[in-house]
Amino acid sequence: MRAGGQFGIPEFLCPGNAYLQYGLLEIMQFRKGIEVEAARLAAENATEEDIVLLRELFEQCTEGRKNMRTFASRNTDFHFEIAKTSHNVLYIKMMEIVSRMILPVMQDFLDAQGADIDSTFYHGMVLQCVINHKPEEAAFFMNRHMTLIIERVEKYVQKKKLEKNGEN
């Protein structure tokens, strides 16, 4: 998708733009609002086919933890699939846009983080809630997951700003 295209995405939010690194916090905050409700709906609406695909993606995330760039990609796929499992076209479209915008920066963020701290745990909890059709619990675990990521992103963005200003 190109800047100013069908969805009118501002140029500074398009992949490859250096500004995106400093828009990461805002994007993550936006994601939280989408993903908590998408997880709730996914737990309500999941079909057996959805659950099979989510399990496969969860396994791929777990296997991808050795390489943070791979993990970021698989992690993004898992989150996108949660939105698809909601069966709500607006959540799906929003996550499609957000996923495209954020992947390169999430790869950099996870590279800097160096390891999966707790994403696999929270993905597993959300997955179990979806499997067991427990929407409030799915929303709770997604909310906690996104809150913890946002806390780490705040520190990452602050560090990047200091580095840019030569204040290591």
Side-chain angles (χ1 to χ4, degrees), residues 4-80:
Q6 181 179 359
F7 296 105
I9 300 172
E11 190 171 326
F12 71 88
L13 292 178
C14 292
N17 192 307
Y19 180 82
L20 185 58
Q21 197 161 348
Y22 301 104
L24 178 60
L25 180 59
E26 290 81 8
I27 294 168
M28 294 304 296
Q29 291 165 338
F30 181 72
R31 271 184 67 185
K32 181 179 178 183
I34 296 170
E35 293 199 48
V36 170
E37 292 308 313
R40 185 185 323 272
L41 282 175
E44 289 178 8
N45 299 329
T47 65
E48 286 303 314
E49 295 82 21
D50 293 327
I51 291 169
V52 167
L53 187 52
L54 279 171
R55 280 186 168 140
E56 289 173 7
L57 287 170
F58 177 72
E59 288 176 24
Q60 290 174 13
C61 281
T62 302
E63 293 166 4
R65 290 188 301 173
K66 296 176 186 97
N67 177 306
M68 287 296 99
R69 296 190 91 65
T70 300
F71 181 70
S73 179
R74 291 179 178 167
N75 188 3
T76 301
D77 292 344
F78 181 83
H79 283 264
F80 183 47

Side-chain angles (χ1 to χ4, degrees), residues 5 70 75 101 109 112 115 132 147-148 159:
T70 300
N75 188 3
M101 289 178 358
F109 168 69
N132 294 310
T147 297
L148 292 171
K159 181 181 176 194

